[in-house]
């Protein structure tokens, strides 16, 4: 199965970001991808954390969700829509917090899975300070979905988002063949930990890992680490891109996955 990790440098302008995302999705489809994954906050990286609140959508309706469904249907792709801000309450209620949600659309254009980010990023080194809990409400449930590939194999795919990467227990609970990590890692934390954590999650779970990232200096002056990549079950990097918008393609082999799990049956040796 061919997959694509899409890297972006999203701005505060939603229309521009959707135009860029559509172009990258078209490239992925033209290169034979069955699954394309957009990065976290693909639709907008605003000047303030609260900017995303004004674009919150009710589940199942809204221009961002319509865009993802339409692209999936028109391009014949499975699309994992990075993250979209979804309302936590009724439409008429004031929006004070949102869910940071990954939505999965099949080639029919229908939404088949939703995952709300469970672990909310907090970091303060005296120069940079982040606290997602100010505007985000955490999710409660791990989520997987099944993707029937064109070659007849079926892949169990586990969903996660960015800061989730630091919590290995989530990935073990997913019991997935392919782990997705749409992200907007900061340059500081990404430079130190991004590749190490991605390769560790692949090795621990004997699973493929696909991480699509924001990568570059944004309109709001924030710099993200990038290095979108695909990692195989032995922890080897199959493809990656350092910075800038792009499509990172790789081919996943179910037979390779099964062989590695047979050779090293660590998933059967847990004691908890």
């Amino acid at each position: 199965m061919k997959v694509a990790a899409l890297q972006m440098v999203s701005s505060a302008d939603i229309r521009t970001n959707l135009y860029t995302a559509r172009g990258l999705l078209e490239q992925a489809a033209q290169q034979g991808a069955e699954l394309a994954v957009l990065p976290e906050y693909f639709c907008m990286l605003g000047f303030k954390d609260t900017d995303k609140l004004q674009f919150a959508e009710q589940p199942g309706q809204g221009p961002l969700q319509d865009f993802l469904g339409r692209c999936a249907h028109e391009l014949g792709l499975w699309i994992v829509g990075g993250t979209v801000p979804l309302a936590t309450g009724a439409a008429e209620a004031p929006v004070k917090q949102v869910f940071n949600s990954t939505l999965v659309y099949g080639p029919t254009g229908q939404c088949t899975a939703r995952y709300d980010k469970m672990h909310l990023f907090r970091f303060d080194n005296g120069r940079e300070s982040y606290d997602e809990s100010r505007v985000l409400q955490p999710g409660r449930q791990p989520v997987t979905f099944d993707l029937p590939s064109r070659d007849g194999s079926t892949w169990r795919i586990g969903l996660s988002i960015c800061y989730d990467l630091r919590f290995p227990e989530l990935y073990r609970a997913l019991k997935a063949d392919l782990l997705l990590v749409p992200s907007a890692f900061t340059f500081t934390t990404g430079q130190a930990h991004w590749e190490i954590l991605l390769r560790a999650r692949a090795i621990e779970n004997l699973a493929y890992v696909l991480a699509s990232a924001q990568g570059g200096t944004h309109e709001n002056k924030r710099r993200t680490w990038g290095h979108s990549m695909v990692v195989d079950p032995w922890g080897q990097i199959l493809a990656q891109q350092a910075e800038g918008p792009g499509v990172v393609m790789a081919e996943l082999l179910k037979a390779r996955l099964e062989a590695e799990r047979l050779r090293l049956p660590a998933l059967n040796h847990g004691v908890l």
Side-chain angles (χ1 to χ4, degrees), residues 1 34 149-155 252 254:
M1 176 174 69
E34 293 184 57
S149 177
R150 296 168 189 160
D151 65 8
S153 62
T154 298
W155 294 77
L252 313 186
K254 196 67 177 291

Side-chain angles (χ1 to χ4, degrees), residues 172 175-176 203-207 257 261 264-270:
R172 188 53 64 92
K175 296 182 172 63
I203 293 165
E204 291 166 351
N205 296 283
L206 288 159
L257 177 77
R261 289 178 170 181
L264 179 64
L267 297 178
N268 300 325
H269 295 160

Side-chain angles (χ1 to χ4, degrees), residues 120-138:
L120 302 184
F121 182 51
R122 184 181 296 174
F123 177 72
D124 189 342
N125 65 358
R127 300 180 305 277
E128 302 170 82
S129 178
Y130 305 93
D131 185 354
E132 289 187 324
S133 66
R134 294 171 185 155
V135 294
L136 298 183
Q137 186 168 311

Side-chain angles (χ1 to χ4, degrees), residues 11-239:
S11 71
D13 183 71
I14 288 182
R15 182 176 298 182
T16 299
N17 296 330
L18 296 189
Y19 179 83
T20 300
R22 174 72 189 213
L24 294 173
L25 289 166
E26 290 176 354
Q27 289 181 46
Q30 290 164 3
Q31 294 180 51
E34 293 184 57
L35 169 69
V37 183
L38 290 158
E40 184 182 27
Y41 299 127
F42 83 96
C43 54
M44 186 189 69
L45 265 176
F47 290 92
K48 305 186 299 297
D49 285 344
T50 53
D51 287 352
K52 63 178 67 68
L53 299 180
Q54 62 183 305
F55 299 106
E57 297 183 356
Q58 290 294 318
Q61 61 186 51
L64 298 175
Q65 294 168 84
D66 291 345
F67 167 82
L68 293 169
R70 183 169 62 254
C71 288
H73 179 62
E74 292 175 354
L75 299 175
L77 279 173
W78 285 84
I79 293 177
V80 177
T83 61
V84 170
L86 293 185
T88 59
E92 62 276 7
V95 178
K96 296 182 178 179
Q97 285 191 316
V98 295
F99 290 113
N100 193 23
S101 301
T102 290
L103 302 174
V104 180
Y105 291 82
T108 63
Q110 298 299 308
C111 184
T112 61
R114 167 186 168 180
Y115 167 69
D116 300 330
K117 186 176 186 179
M118 296 176 68
H119 302 95
L120 302 184
F121 182 51
R122 184 181 296 174
F123 177 72
D124 189 342
N125 65 358
R127 300 180 305 277
E128 302 170 82
S129 178
Y130 305 93
D131 185 354
E132 289 187 324
S133 66
R134 294 171 185 155
V135 294
L136 298 183
Q137 186 168 311
R140 300 296 180 190
Q141 295 295 329
V143 175
T144 63
F145 70 97
D146 290 334
L147 190 159
S149 177
R150 296 168 189 160
D151 65 8
S153 62
T154 298
W155 294 77
R156 180 170 180 169
I157 299 180
L159 300 176
S160 67
I161 301 168
C162 201
Y163 189 53
D164 285 333
L165 185 57
R166 296 182 182 275
F167 301 87
E169 63 274 15
L170 169 62
Y171 296 89
R172 188 53 64 92
L174 291 170
K175 296 182 172 63
D177 304 318
L178 170 61
L179 302 166
L180 304 183
V181 197
S183 300
F185 252 63
T186 70
F187 186 89
T188 302
T189 58
Q191 186 177 38
H193 301 144
W194 173 250
E195 180 182 322
I196 295 168
L197 289 170
L198 289 171
R199 296 179 69 188
R201 298 297 85 85
I203 293 165
E204 291 166 351
N205 296 283
L206 288 159
Y208 286 97
V209 171
L210 184 157
S212 52
Q214 297 281 351
T217 301
H218 300 262
E219 184 183 14
N220 62 8
K221 307 305 180 184
R222 175 177 172 180
R223 187 177 181 189
T224 47
W225 175 239
H227 292 78
S228 296
M229 67 179 69
V230 181
V231 185
D232 77 9
W234 203 243
Q236 302 302 305
I237 298 172
L238 300 179

